Amino acid sequence: MGRILSIDYGRKRTGIAVTDPLQIIAQGLTTVATAELSAFLKDYVAREKVDLIVVGRPMQPNGQPSENLKRVETFVASLQRLFPEMPLTWWDERFTSVMAHQTMRDAGLGKMKRRDKALVDEISATIILQSYMESRQNGMF
């Protein structure tokens, strides 16, 4: 069994989270400059067995696509060319940044640490992955 990897794609930075090899626990992996994302993923997938990639689908609160969706769709098309055999799924990422900030507050992180956008992106990717795993566990798909 391999890991599940999730991506919170952003214009400048992209948060990445992964499961353990048994796909039980989601944890933040890193934040990567988006310009270096494909190279990072290629290297990671060469070192670790990955069974699935979950990509956050940027939506507005009303359910309409966000302005960032076109960039993410372009990235996903390149990702599918890079890993043609890799299963990929979309996951709604609405409110993940808000939840990431709340998680940071709940963890007692100071104001300066909560302003760390790279950490917010990594936590957002973890929330996307955790949400996906919970839905799968609850038989939603």
Side-chain angles (χ1 to χ4, degrees):
M1 184 176 272
R3 298 175 188 271
I4 301 172
L5 183 141
S6 72
I7 298 172
D8 180 29
Y9 186 87
R11 185 182 296 177
K12 295 179 183 179
R13 291 170 315 279
T14 296
I16 301 172
V18 294
T19 65
D20 61 291
L22 297 176
Q23 299 181 5
I24 297 170
I25 299 169
Q27 59 190 7
L29 179 62
T30 191
T31 301
V32 177
T34 298
E36 301 167 9
L37 181 58
S38 291
F40 175 87
L41 291 173
K42 190 173 182 181
D43 179 63
Y44 186 82
V45 169
R47 289 183 287 114
E48 297 286 340
K49 183 171 176 4
V50 175
D51 287 347
L52 173 69
I53 297 175
V54 178
V55 179
R57 176 177 238 130
M59 304 295 282
Q60 295 177 20
N62 66 2
Q64 295 298 310
S66 79
E67 64 184 52
N68 194 37
L69 183 59
K70 290 289 184 207
R71 280 189 291 276
V72 179
E73 288 174 335
T74 300
F75 162 72
V76 166
S78 71
L79 190 62
Q80 289 174 318
R81 286 189 298 276
L82 186 62
F83 304 113
E85 302 299 318
M86 179 73 66
L88 185 140
T89 192
W90 291 94
W91 200 254
D92 188 345
E93 69 171 30
R94 278 182 282 185
F95 309 112
T96 55
S97 292
V98 172
M99 292 187 310
H101 280 99
Q102 184 62 48
T103 299
M104 294 167 83
R105 276 191 295 280
D106 292 348
L109 296 180
K111 191 179 245 184
M112 292 305 291
K113 194 70 173 168
R114 291 193 313 258
R115 289 184 183 164
D116 181 352
K117 292 181 181 179
L119 182 57
V120 172
D121 293 338
E122 184 178 327
I123 292 171
S124 293
T126 306
I127 291 168
I128 290 166
L129 183 53
Q130 186 65 43
S131 173
Y132 170 82
M133 291 170 56
E134 288 171 1
S135 293
R136 187 174 73 166
Q137 191 174 39
N138 292 332
M140 293 181 73
F141 55 94

